[in-house]
Structures are given as structure tokens and as C-alpha cells.
């Protein structure tokens, strides 16, 4: 096995996508192992690879890590994307938790019935424009810096650019009333490691399609 982190998950976004984003932002190459059957999932459980019988699974530094938040925290700390002190880390944690809340309905969107799609898109738009994006617009305006915390690229910036792009897939005009976030999106998209991740052929996954939804339902039913 190489020294690269090894990611085991379905061939799709899900809860692994934020991990892909963070590793890519840190400039870390990683390997991916995809599975698409219940038997493969059951074998991981039987082999003791999944502590709580849940995905995603990341093998890094001799550990088999589960629980998305724990994995992300470890990566952020290891690659200096977690602030310079406890106060900065607390801010990053608060921002990340907020963004995670915003992303939850986006993660669940592909599994909603067709008749609920439009209503759910409206709910995502309302959440983004009235509750979450105003917070980050204000933060960026008040401190006048390029990044959310300590004027240094951090985990919070990575989570926010991922969320912005995910919401824009559903609501293309969502940033129309947020000039600070528009400028932030451009700045962060030009960070070399992020720019590379946004190019075709990168490990970034496309929006979930029906095949992905069917696979998830087959495995985790």
C-alpha cells in the first residue's frame, strides 16, 4: 500500500465529497476504492474496518478512520488548515458546522420524490439566502480579508466554496445579492489546489444521478 490516503466509498459525492475537497485543497493525492454492492459493504463490516458500521472510510497514517467530522478535523489539523490557536479553531468549527447544516438538504435532495423537488429547491434557496450566506457575507465585509478566519486559507474556506457551488447547481442566481461571496468564490476558485480540483478529470464527483441514488438505496436499504 502506498503512503497516499485511501478513501473507500461509493463512486459519488455523498459524505465523502467534503473529504475529497479538503485533501485536494491541501494538495494531497489520494487513492479511491469504490464499492457498489451490499456484499462489499457487509465484508467491510465483517472485517472490522467500519467502527460504527458506517461510511465513509479513510485509511490514513495507519488508521482506519470513520465519522466524517473526525476525518475532516484530522485532515485539517495535519495539513495546517485549522487555524493558529484555539480561538481560530473555534471559529472554523462554528463556520463548518453551519455549512454542514446548509449542506444536509442538498445531500438528501437526490432521494426526494419528483413531486417534492421544486419545494425542496425552494427550501434550499431560503436556507442559503436568509440564514447562512448572510453570515459569511457579513464576516467577509467586517474584517475585509480574503479568507474567513485569520486571513489564512483554512478548512472553513474549503467547506464554504464547496457549499456555494453545490447550492448554485440548484439555484444558479443564489449569490446575486452577496457581492462579498461572489468575490470570495472567485478568489478561492483561483487557489491553485482548488483550481486543479475544479478541472475536468479531477477526483471531484458530478451531481448525483439516478444510478447513484439506486446504488445507495440498494446497499443501505
Amino acid at each position: 500500500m502506498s503512503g497516499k490516503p485511501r478513501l473507500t466509498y461509493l463512486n459519488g459525492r455523498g459524505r465523502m465529497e467534503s473529504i475529497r475537497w479538503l485533501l485536494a485543497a491541501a494538495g494531497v493525492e489520494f487513492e479511491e476504492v469504490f464499492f457498489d454492492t451490499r456484499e462489499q459493504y457487509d465484508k467491510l463490516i465483517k472485517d472490522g474496518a467500519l467502527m460504527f458500521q458506517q461510511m465513509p472510510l479513510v485509511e490514513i497514517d495507519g488508521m482506519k478512520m470513520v465519522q466524517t467530522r473526525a476525518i475532516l478535523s484530522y485532515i485539517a489539523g495535519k495539513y495546517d488548515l485549522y487555524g493558529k490557536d484555539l480561538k481560530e479553531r473555534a471559529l472554523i468549527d462554528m463556520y463548518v458546522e453551519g455549512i454542514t447544516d446548509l449542506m444536509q438538504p442538498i445531500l438528501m435532495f437526490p432521494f426526494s420524490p419528483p413531486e417534492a423537488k421544486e419545494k425542496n429547491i425552494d427550501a434550499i434557496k431560503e436556507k442559503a439566502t436568509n440564514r447562512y450566506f448572510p453570515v459569511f457575507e457579513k464576516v467577509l465585509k467586517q474584517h475585509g480579508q480574503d479568507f474567513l478566519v485569520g486571513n489564512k486559507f483554512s478548512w472553513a474556506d474549503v467547506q464554504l466554496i464547496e457549499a456555494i457551488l453545490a447550492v448554485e447547481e440548484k439555484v444558479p442566481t443564489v449569490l446575486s445579492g452577496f457581492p462579498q461571496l461572489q468575490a470570495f468564490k472567485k478568489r478561492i476558485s483561483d487557489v491553485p489546489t482548488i483550481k486543479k480540483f475544479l478541472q475536468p478529470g479531477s477526483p471531484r464527483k458530478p451531481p448525483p444521478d439516478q444510478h447513484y441514488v439506486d446504488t445507495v438505496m440498494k446497499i443501505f436499504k
Side-chain angles (χ1 to χ4, degrees), residues 173-192:
T173 61
V174 72
L175 290 188
S176 60
F178 301 100
Q180 297 291 333
L181 285 178
Q182 291 174 34
F184 172 87
K185 174 189 167 186
K186 185 177 187 310
R187 278 197 307 277
I188 303 303
S189 296
D190 283 337
V191 170

Side-chain angles (χ1 to χ4, degrees), residues 110-121:
F111 303 95
S112 56
E115 63 272 16
K117 298 283 189 188
E118 187 174 341
K119 179 181 177 182
N120 289 345
I121 287 177

Side-chain angles (χ1 to χ4, degrees), residues 158-178:
V158 181
Q159 291 278 108
L160 183 54
I161 188 67
E162 180 192 0
I164 286 172
L165 295 177
V167 176
E168 282 187 329
E169 287 174 352
K170 304 287 183 287
V171 188
T173 61
V174 72
L175 290 188
S176 60
F178 301 100

Side-chain angles (χ1 to χ4, degrees), residues 102-133:
L102 171 60
M103 288 293 288
Q104 184 60 25
I106 295 172
L107 280 171
M108 298 309 298
F109 180 81
F111 303 95
S112 56
E115 63 272 16
K117 298 283 189 188
E118 187 174 341
K119 179 181 177 182
N120 289 345
I121 287 177
D122 288 343
I124 290 168
K125 179 181 179 181
E126 193 278 333
K127 231 179 172 184
T129 56
N130 294 329
R131 187 170 176 183
Y132 291 98
F133 285 176

